[in-house]
Amino acid sequence: KVVSRENYEDLARWTRESHVSAVVLDIDTEGEELYGGLPVLDELRRLNDGFTLISVSRARSRSVEKNSLSAGADAHFRSPVDVPELRMTLVDSVRRRTVDLERQRSRQHAIESSRFQDFIGASEPMRLVYDAIQQIARSNVNVLIRGESGTGKELAARAIVALSNRA
């Protein structure tokens, strides 16, 4: 679905509420200032890194394209726009962003599912350590934790205290 807007008013809010996947923004049309859409472009990118953002300008200067890309545009086109090229860029960029976001979500999920107290790891040896910590925490015995420097002795001690009824 394609929606056309006449102005930039509440554009950031509208993109969030409408779950927009791409914005093609004419950076020449905001206010009296030349390329007044650049701050809008920057704001849109800061508020939502998840959608594709493409800028359009009538300017032939490479600096306008550079400023647009620096402000967060995924691509920049000069008017008049080659529509098939714009369509191809939009499809590729949306696909790439979708894959990147899914990869980020998967990575975050993997980190969260492999987290135990302050430890991170889901291997079988780490699961054995987690089980041992939980068993010790339920008991009422004194514990001596030994190991080489950097093996996580302090993390284990904190986890035992946090999980025990003496926490």
Side-chain angles (χ1 to χ4, degrees):
K1 176 181 172 183
V2 176
V3 177
S4 175
R5 293 190 43 131
E6 296 298 319
N7 57 44
Y8 297 152
E9 190 176 318
D10 287 335
L11 186 60
R13 181 187 54 78
W14 178 80
T15 58
R16 275 193 317 275
E17 290 174 359
S18 301
H19 305 290
V20 170
S21 57
V23 173
V24 178
L25 186 73
D26 184 347
I27 62 172
D28 294 341
T29 58
E30 176 64 10
E32 302 296 319
E33 186 179 327
L34 193 59
Y35 318 123
L38 284 172
V40 176
L41 190 69
D42 183 56
E43 178 187 13
L44 286 172
R45 179 51 71 216
R46 278 186 294 109
L47 293 176
N48 188 344
D49 195 38
F51 61 69
T52 296
L53 196 50
I54 295 179
S55 63
V56 177
S57 175
R58 289 176 288 290
R60 298 285 177 224
S61 169
R62 298 285 279 159
S63 65
V64 173
E65 179 178 359
K66 183 180 175 188
N67 289 340
S68 176
L69 295 173
S70 294
D74 295 299
H76 177 79
F77 285 85
R78 292 185 184 103
S79 289
V81 174
D82 180 5
V83 176
E85 184 181 352
L86 175 64
R87 182 180 297 120
M88 185 175 66
T89 301
L90 267 170
V91 168
D92 288 346
S93 186
V94 167
R95 187 176 298 134
R96 187 174 47 251
R97 283 218 177 259
T98 303
V99 167
D100 289 347
L101 285 173
E102 187 57 40
R103 190 176 299 130
Q104 259 181 326
R105 283 189 200 112
S106 294
R107 195 175 304 129
Q108 187 63 32
H109 178 70
I111 288 171
E112 288 171 3
S113 66
S114 66
R115 188 174 284 280
F116 173 81
Q117 295 293 329
D118 290 334
F119 289 97
I120 296 177
S123 67
E124 187 57 32
M126 288 305 294
R127 295 242 179 250
L128 293 172
V129 170
Y130 303 157
D131 290 343
I133 288 172
Q134 288 174 330
Q135 287 175 1
I136 291 168
R138 285 192 298 262
S139 71
N140 197 18
V141 297
N142 293 328
V143 179
L144 173 65
I145 303 173
R146 299 184 335 164
E148 294 182 30
S149 177
T151 56
K153 296 180 297 292
E154 288 183 27
L155 291 176
R158 276 193 236 121
I160 291 168
V161 170
L163 294 171
S164 76
N165 56 5
R166 295 174 284 174

